[in-house]
Amino acid sequence: MLDRAGIDYTILEKRKTHSAIGSAIAFSAVVLRVLEQIGLYDDVHKIGKEFSQTTISMQDGKVIGKLDGEFAKERYGYYNEIMARPDLMEILLSRVAPHKILMGKKVLKVTEHPDREDGEDELAGLVTLLCSDQSQYQGNLVIGCDGAYSAVRQRMYQNLEAKGVRIPKSDFAPFRFDQHCVVGVSKPLNPETYQILKKPFCEFDVVLAEDFSYSIWLMPLNNNRISWMINGKMFTPQATNKKDAKNQLEENFKASEWGPEAAEELCNEVRGFECPYNGGTIGELIDNTPKEVISKVMLEDKMFETWHSDRVVLLGDGGQGATQAILDAVVLVDLLHELPSTSAKDISKALKQYRDKRYETAKSAVTASRQGGALFSTKGFFMDLLRAFTFKFMPRWLYLMTSDRIQASRPILSFLPAVPDRGSVKSI
Ligand SMILES: Cc1cc2nc3c(=O)[nH]c(=O)nc-3n(C[C@H](O)[C@H](O)[C@H](O)COP(=O)(O)OP(=O)(O)OC[C@H]3O[C@@H](n4cnc5c(N)ncnc54)[C@H](O)[C@@H]3O)c2cc1C
């Protein structure tokens, strides 16, 4: 998007080599329309498998219900597309000039230099980033897309506090961890054994353990592969003061880097589960997955209140998902394209508008993801009723109304030629 807006940029990435976890990612019309606008849709469509329905069942095979999603194309212009993350990363990398991505650059420090009209300071109006290899980079704006444990966020908060800005307490509270999970993408499988692979559409299967301590998600991908995810519940005590919160943050950070042994432990818990596709076990599916693409990850979420300072802004993960990160980018790049100047006044005004435009939608996404998670992991009479209603008895009109609300806005960049809205339910 920055390329399309004619804005020069450099990407600093802490990893030494590119890598994406072996799991699937799903995109709906909400972002596919802008991906089409910037010329990515055809490639995404090639690596994606179109999605048609989700079946939710219990470990003993009893089906709780089905949700269909095939209507998305007619209503919103695109089927949902499910793809393997490494395939998506390859496409994204092919679109960024290699010299713009600097690897092995772990950002440690962020320093904003105030604007000066007397020309006395050559760094005035810039932000300096210091990396762990002692290299430094300057720009008019820093966009922190460095994930849930953003170093840019931490430094920005320190800088704001040093200037006397009060950061809300909730911004320092630890992430909420409800689940840890192990993910993998199988090698190409025999469709005669895994009959589901013969179907042209991707049909999700979610299997819930009898005591709701685990759920298993299966998603057929292109090239006869199956992406699987084992979701295990976990509980994080919520810290009540700043010191506890900091300790918790550090513990969460350590836990988020769990290695292959932890992954194996979780896999072993569910090896005996029946795989809904062929009567074999989940263990067989795990054995058909190259070890190096099995990863353990934590599913965290949190809504931050403070999004920017004068020349530093955050984009992407606080748990809102990749879709929300892309929507962040659409709004931010649109505003940057219209900037009258690179003065701190104009940039910070645009950053404020960015937060105002995105805040409510991002907050709803965090809430929705929490509620969705609870449906798959909480036991009890009330939750059984809610599950039965959501997946089986919800009237069609209500289901479509809910879906229309989620897909209501499918924004595109205002400075590029528009992509027609092909859905029967028009984007707002
Ligand atoms: C199993 C799983 C399935 C998911 N499925 C979906 C889905 O279907 N749809 C969806 O919308 N979302 C999904 N999500 C969520 C989605 O993956 C994240 O929301 C998204 O990756 C966030 O992107 P990000 O760029 O903000 O952060 P990240 O993807 O975390 O990227 C941050 C980058 O910054 C780098 N970095 C970190 N610190 C520094 C530093 N100090 N200096 C330099 N570089 C640094 C990291 O190495 C990394 O490359 C899923 C997540 C998981 C775990």
Side-chain angles (χ1 to χ4, degrees):
M1 289 182 208
L2 287 172
D3 268 330
R4 292 306 180 97
I7 298 171
D8 194 19
Y9 61 92
T10 300
I11 299 172
L12 304 177
E13 166 56 51
K14 76 172 175 187
R15 293 197 186 125
K16 294 212 161 62
T17 52
H18 295 294
S19 66
I21 57 168
S23 106
I25 189 153
F27 287 134
S28 72
V30 170
V31 293
L32 289 172
R33 193 164 166 230
V34 74
L35 294 189
E36 179 173 346
Q37 193 189 27
I38 59 172
L40 277 178
Y41 177 72
D42 287 345
D43 283 353
V44 163
H45 184 61
K46 269 186 216 141
I47 59 161
K49 188 156 176 151
E50 292 164 350
F51 164 86
S52 65
Q53 68 170 43
T54 307
T55 305
I56 325 281
S57 43
M58 296 303 296
Q59 192 178 352
D60 63 5
K62 191 176 138 226
V63 174
I64 301 176
K66 285 180 200 278
L67 292 179
D68 94 276
E70 224 176 311
F71 58 84
K73 173 130 183 169
E74 185 280 319
R75 259 178 125 73
Y76 318 121
Y78 303 83
Y79 288 111
N80 292 348
E81 299 266 3
I82 322 293
M83 64 212 76
R85 279 165 184 257
D87 297 352
L88 175 63
M89 179 173 251
E90 216 171 281
I91 292 176
L92 296 177
L93 285 173
S94 74
R95 299 304 178 93
V96 181
H99 71 273
K100 288 193 174 288
I101 310 183
L102 308 183
M103 304 299 290
K105 298 289 177 185
K106 182 175 181 179
V107 173
L108 295 182
K109 204 171 164 204
V110 181
T111 311
E112 287 182 60
H113 309 281
D115 289 12
R116 278 174 71 144
E117 283 181 3
D118 56 15
E120 287 290 299
D121 179 2
E122 60 179 26
L123 291 178
L126 295 175
V127 190
T128 298
L129 293 181
L130 171 70
C131 298
S132 58
D133 61 1
Q134 298 306 310
S135 54
Q136 295 194 15
Y137 298 87
Q138 270 101 26
N140 296 116
L141 171 68
V142 169
I143 306 177
C145 318
D146 49 346
Y149 299 92
S150 170
V152 173
R153 174 186 293 118
Q154 287 175 30
R155 299 296 162 243
M156 185 183 88
Y157 284 5
Q158 281 172 2
N159 294 345
L160 283 170
E161 282 192 314
K163 280 190 350 193
V165 177
R166 206 184 67 79
I167 308 284
K169 260 193 188 148
S170 60
D171 280 350
F172 292 106
F175 278 92
R176 208 183 112 107
F177 279 116
D178 283 333
Q179 295 186 319
H180 55 160
C181 65
V182 179
V183 292
V185 174
S186 76
K187 61 187 188 194
L189 300 166
N190 185 352
E192 294 307 324
T193 313
Y194 293 87
Q195 299 271 334
I196 191 90
L197 294 169
K198 287 186 177 169
K199 299 201 178 181
F201 284 91
C202 164
E203 293 182 14
F204 268 35
D205 260 286
V206 182
V207 184
L208 308 180
E210 287 307 324
D211 64 355
F212 292 96
S213 55
Y214 295 96
S215 62
I216 298 171
W217 298 62
L218 301 167
M219 294 149 269
L221 301 177
N222 72 350
N223 293 338
N224 292 331
R225 296 167 299 169
I226 293 178
S227 165
W228 52 267
M229 175 162 85
I230 303 160
N231 253 321
K233 216 169 156 172
M234 64 182 295
F235 301 95
T236 306
Q238 297 295 296
T240 49
N241 61 50
K242 208 167 162 182
K243 187 165 164 252
D244 281 358
K246 191 166 175 288
N247 292 341
Q248 187 68 65
L249 205 66
E250 275 159 18
E251 289 216 348
N252 290 348
F253 181 72
K254 276 185 233 149
S256 71
E257 304 240 11
W258 282 351
E261 298 79 21
E264 204 166 329
E265 213 178 290
L266 197 52
C267 288
N268 287 339
E269 300 271 357
V270 295
R271 288 192 80 84
F273 274 44
E274 292 284 310
C275 179
Y277 297 150
N278 67 339
T281 62
I282 295 295
E284 284 165 50
L285 192 58
I286 294 173
D287 293 339
N288 274 317
T289 303
K291 268 217 155 51
E292 63 278 9
V293 302
I294 299 180
S295 340
K296 181 169 167 79
V297 285
M298 314 283 283
L299 298 185
E300 66 270 283
D301 71 46
K302 178 166 166 181
M303 187 66 198
F304 287 93
E305 296 300 316
T306 312
W307 289 29
H308 66 90
S309 59
D310 281 352
R311 289 186 180 273
V312 179
V313 65
L314 301 164
L315 179 154
D317 230 350
Q320 297 100 320
T323 292
Q324 295 299 318
I326 295 172
L327 296 179
D328 280 350
V330 175
V331 171
L332 184 60
V333 176
D334 243 351
L335 287 162
L336 295 179
H337 183 259
E338 298 307 318
L339 268 183
S341 81
T342 55
S343 70
K345 188 167 155 265
D346 286 335
I347 290 186
S348 63
K349 187 172 159 208
L351 302 186
K352 183 175 177 312
Q353 286 174 321
Y354 157 70
R355 185 197 184 272
D356 290 348
K357 287 187 175 199
R358 288 288 304 137
Y359 182 84
E360 285 306 327
T361 319
K363 194 171 179 181
S364 311
V366 172
T367 310
S369 113
R370 263 179 211 176
Q371 288 167 346
L375 267 182
F376 296 111
S377 59
T378 311
K379 58 181 177 180
F381 178 70
F382 174 71
M383 288 310 285
D384 284 346
L385 276 184
L386 195 60
R387 265 187 287 275
F389 178 75
T390 309
F391 300 125
K392 195 168 181 179
F393 298 116
M394 190 187 303
R396 181 83 179 158
W397 63 265
L398 182 58
Y399 178 50
L400 290 180
M401 200 173 93
T402 311
S403 172
D404 287 354
R405 227 181 50 221
I406 296 168
Q407 305 277 332
S409 171
R410 306 181 295 271
I412 48 177
L413 294 159
S414 59
F415 57 87
L416 290 180
V419 168
D421 185 353
R422 300 189 202 93
S424 62
V425 177
K426 297 297 173 201
S427 169
I428 53 168

